[in-house]
């Protein structure tokens, strides 16, 4: 059994939060560069160039890419042979507690915006720490801890949708709806988007898959040929909408579509679409 | 390039057309969801507003904290439509321009036409870039709201596009028609 110190996770998560909010992932930057060079609408090409300039300023001057530094969504895979200990307390601790402590430290030290309210409906008082984070934890074989930190903006999350289809629905029905969700998101959610799609599972699993799908690199199509083709076809149709960067028109409405699937009930065909803005911020560490 | 500097005059605003590129100079106030709610509650209660809306520009933004020595952190626009229930009221009280990202409601469009105001769109997701155009930032109201407090900004060459004009024009209409929107 391997033991990881609570503080080691705290430090790692704090660094991930800060890095994610300042450094656009290389695959997203490459996709924006490609789009800027192929975009046929000059005004749209100019906006894409400004987004690249924004990324350069953010990395160089340590100003966050976007003022919405997000709700912190963390995917953690904890090896079954690892435990967490808190030396200062002298007792075992949980990885989830360590993650929240890391988010708190990272958002303070990194001058990131705290965007979490304690109660959704009553007072909506800001917790002042950007915690609690949304933590998706699972045990895996091994003695490592893999942590993915995602800073998910509210504007694009607000445009995400879920729909329960009939099991007899045509594939074209599902695809038409996905394109419609993206069209509806339009200028409000900061296009060009990365579009995460979760198909199957149940109500909550499809939504979770749609978020996890966003974590697959933009230069890495689905391993399954059918879904790889579906991703390409959806991207073509979404870009044909002409929504464009900032919704002001152009060929670049999305940088990529990523699909994840799961087995589901004979009565069900759940589909979730998680809209992600061009400021697609996530960082990974393996401890 | 058209320059806008508050306080804005109705006749100048009525000349603007959707799609015009503009740059802002001078004073811009910030407000997002909770500040809008409080401003309208103050109007309901017959109280004096903490800022003078007459001819003002209101920017929908909640910036990140400024690093030591910096004026402000990242400061790009938030989604405008969340302010739709409140904007007509503020426009009727003299507000001449709002600025954010994305679409506005028909009620807001009507208020812009009726009172002679515009809605501007600026670069969503470019908060680092836009922060370079802000030379001063002071919290002037609702400090307890933190990032959502009302700030008085001084801006230089702040880039924006007229998204909705005072004649009923909208820069998104053509794009949305093409994409199959109703």
């Amino acid at each position: 059994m391997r033991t990881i110190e609570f503080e080691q996770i705290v430090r790692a998560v704090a660094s991930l939060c800060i890095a994610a909010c300042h450094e656009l992932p290389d695959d997203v930057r490459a996709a924006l560069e490609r789009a800027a060079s192929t975009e046929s609408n000059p005004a749209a090409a100019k906006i894409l160039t400004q987004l690249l300039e924004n990324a350069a300023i953010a990395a160089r001057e340590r100003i966050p890419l976007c003022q919405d530094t997000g709700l912190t969504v963390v995917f953690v895979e904890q090896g079954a042979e690892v435990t967490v200990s808190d030396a200062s307390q002298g007792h075992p601790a949980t990885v989830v507690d360590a993650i929240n402590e890391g988010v708190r430290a990272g958002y303070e030290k990194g001058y990131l915006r705290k965007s979490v309210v304690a109660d959704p409906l009553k007072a909506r008082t800001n917790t002042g720490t950007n915690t609690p984070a949304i933590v998706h934890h699972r045990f895996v074989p091994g003695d490592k801890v893999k942590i993915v930190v995602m800073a998910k903006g509210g504007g694009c999350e607000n445009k995400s949708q879920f729909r329960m289809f009939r099991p007899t629905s045509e594939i074209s029905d599902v695809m038409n709806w996905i394109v419609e969700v993206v069209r509806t998101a339009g200028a409000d959610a900061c296009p060009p988007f990365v579009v995460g799609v979760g198909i199957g599972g149940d109500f909550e699993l499809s939504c979770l898959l749609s978020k996890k799908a966003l974590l697959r690199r933009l230069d890495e199509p689905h391993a399954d040929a059918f879904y790889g083709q579906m991703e390409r076809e959806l991207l073509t149709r979404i870009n044909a909408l002409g929504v464009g960067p900032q919704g002001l028109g152009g060929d670049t409405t999305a940088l990529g579509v990523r699909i994840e699937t799961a087995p589901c009930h004979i009565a069900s065909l759940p589909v979730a679409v998680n809209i992600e803005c061009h400021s697609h911020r996530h960082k990974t560490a393996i401890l | 390039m058209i320059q806008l500097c508050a306080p804005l005059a109705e006749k100048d605003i009525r000349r603007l057309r959707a799609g015009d590129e503009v740059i802002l100079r001078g004073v811009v106030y910030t407000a997002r969801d909770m500040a809008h709610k409080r401003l309208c509650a103050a109007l309901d209660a017959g109280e004096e507003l903490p800022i003078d809306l007459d001819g003002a520009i209101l920017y929908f933004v909640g910036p990140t904290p400024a690093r030591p020595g910096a004026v402000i952190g990242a400061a790009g626009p938030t989604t405008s439509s969340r302010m739709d229930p409140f904007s007509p009221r503020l426009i009727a009280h003299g507000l001449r321009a709002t600025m954010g990202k994305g679409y506005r409601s028909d009620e807001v469009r009507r208020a812009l036409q009726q009172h002679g105001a515009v809605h501007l769109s600026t670069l969503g997701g470019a908060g680092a870039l836009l922060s370079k155009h802000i030379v001063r930032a002071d919290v002037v109201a609702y400090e307890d709201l933190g990032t959502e407090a009302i700030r008085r900004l001084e801006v230089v060459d702040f880039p924006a596009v007229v998204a909705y004009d005072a004649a009923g024009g909208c820069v998104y209409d053509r794009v949305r028609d093409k994409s199959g929107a109703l």
Side-chain angles (χ1 to χ4, degrees):
Chain A
M1 205 66 160
R2 180 181 165 221
T3 300
I4 293 186
E5 284 298 325
F6 188 85
E7 266 306 315
Q8 189 186 347
I9 297 173
V10 172
R11 282 195 303 273
V13 169
S15 299
L16 290 172
C17 291
I18 294 169
C21 289
H22 292 91
E23 299 158 19
L24 200 63
D26 63 337
D27 58 327
V28 181
R29 196 168 60 238
L32 282 171
E33 282 167 356
R34 198 165 47 250
S37 67
T38 58
E39 174 66 56
S40 67
N41 177 327
K46 182 182 163 193
I47 292 168
L48 293 169
T49 305
Q50 287 171 318
L51 298 181
L52 287 161
E53 193 189 334
N54 182 66
I57 293 170
R60 190 175 64 233
E61 301 190 28
R62 309 310 279 174
I63 303 170
L65 287 152
C66 177
Q67 75 291 338
D68 184 353
T69 50
L71 188 59
T72 316
V73 181
V74 183
F75 292 91
V76 53
E77 292 179 355
Q78 180 175 1
E81 296 160 44
V82 193
T83 57
V84 179
S85 93
D86 190 344
S88 65
Q89 302 293 321
H91 59 65
T94 76
V95 68
V96 176
D97 289 340
I99 286 167
N100 276 308
E101 205 48 47
V103 169
R104 178 198 303 265
Y107 274 67
E108 192 56 38
K109 190 174 153 216
Y111 295 91
L112 307 178
R113 196 178 82 182
K114 290 81 182 173
S115 309
V116 177
V117 295
D119 183 281
L121 209 51
K122 292 184 285 178
R124 290 191 69 88
T125 307
N126 198 305
T127 62
T129 59
N130 220 52
T131 63
I134 308 280
V135 183
H136 301 292
H137 175 275
R138 71 186 188 113
F139 282 109
V140 296
D143 64 353
K144 303 274 191 254
V145 177
K146 181 182 175 188
I147 301 171
V148 183
V149 166
M150 189 177 192
K152 186 69 170 74
C156 52
E157 191 74 357
N158 284 349
K159 299 293 167 179
S160 302
Q161 293 193 43
F162 168 85
R163 183 167 162 185
M164 200 62 92
F165 283 84
R166 291 195 186 93
T168 52
S169 297
E170 300 293 335
I171 294 167
S172 60
D173 296 335
V174 173
M175 290 178 71
N176 290 345
W177 178 74
I178 294 167
V179 174
E180 182 58 18
V181 170
V182 175
R183 192 188 61 71
T184 307
D188 283 354
C190 283
F193 306 125
V194 179
V195 181
V197 180
I199 307 176
D202 59 0
F203 178 71
E204 79 275 8
L205 182 57
S206 62
C207 293
L208 181 58
L209 288 171
S210 72
K211 184 147 282 156
K212 276 181 108 162
L214 296 172
L215 297 173
R216 182 148 45 81
R217 287 179 61 89
L218 290 170
D219 51 12
E220 194 183 306
H222 202 290
D224 179 283
F226 173 86
Y227 289 112
Q229 172 60 27
M230 191 167 161
E231 288 177 351
R232 280 191 297 278
E233 205 175 316
L234 281 166
L235 181 61
T236 302
R237 286 186 57 188
I238 286 165
N239 284 333
L241 289 171
V243 170
Q246 307 289 330
L248 294 171
D251 316 320
T252 317
T253 302
L255 301 172
V257 178
R258 290 291 172 260
I259 299 172
E260 293 298 328
T261 64
C264 66
H265 194 281
I266 52 171
S268 304
L269 175 48
V271 183
V273 177
N274 197 191
I275 302 285
E276 170 74 319
C277 58
H278 57 76
S279 199
H280 180 29
R281 294 154 291 173
H282 59 93
K283 288 281 173 197
T284 302
I286 296 170
L287 304 178
Chain B
M1 188 74 78
I2 303 162
Q3 288 183 29
L4 297 180
C5 183
L8 305 169
E10 180 175 355
K11 64 174 174 36
D12 297 331
I13 289 302
R14 288 210 181 264
R15 279 194 210 113
L16 296 171
R17 286 295 169 266
D20 285 349
E21 288 187 32
V22 297
I23 53 171
L24 311 184
R25 289 199 171 151
V27 175
V28 170
Y29 288 104
T30 73
R32 42 174 293 154
D33 307 68
M34 293 310 284
H36 273 78
K37 201 169 178 180
R38 286 198 191 174
L39 287 171
C40 287
L43 288 174
D44 285 342
E47 293 165 6
E48 195 178 333
L49 297 182
I51 54 171
D52 183 5
L53 287 180
D54 200 25
I57 303 169
L58 205 55
Y59 180 22
F60 306 151
V61 57
T64 60
R67 284 181 184 275
V71 169
I72 199 165
T78 195
T79 311
S80 309
S81 58
R82 294 198 317 273
M83 270 44 85
D84 284 351
F86 308 107
S87 290
R89 191 91 194 273
L90 303 180
I91 290 163
H93 273 79
L95 184 63
R96 287 276 171 232
T98 56
M99 180 164 68
K101 66 171 163 101
Y103 311 123
R104 303 309 309 261
S105 67
D106 289 343
E107 288 74 15
V108 173
R109 285 174 89 146
R110 277 196 290 276
L112 296 173
Q113 290 178 70
Q114 187 185 344
H115 300 284
V118 289
H119 175 70
L120 308 170
S121 168
T122 190
L123 281 170
L129 178 74
L130 291 173
S131 75
K132 308 305 281 181
H133 296 276
I134 300 170
V135 294
R136 184 167 176 168
D138 299 291
V139 172
V140 292
Y142 311 148
E143 190 168 7
D144 61 298
L145 292 179
T147 185
E148 297 204 59
I150 295 183
R151 287 170 172 77
R152 181 184 180 279
L153 306 182
E154 286 179 26
V155 303
V156 175
D157 295 347
F158 196 100
V161 176
V162 177
Y164 293 82
D165 64 33
C170 165
V171 76
Y172 302 115
D173 281 353
R174 188 174 39 87
V175 177
R176 295 178 102 184
D177 288 346
K178 190 185 157 214
S179 72
L182 294 174

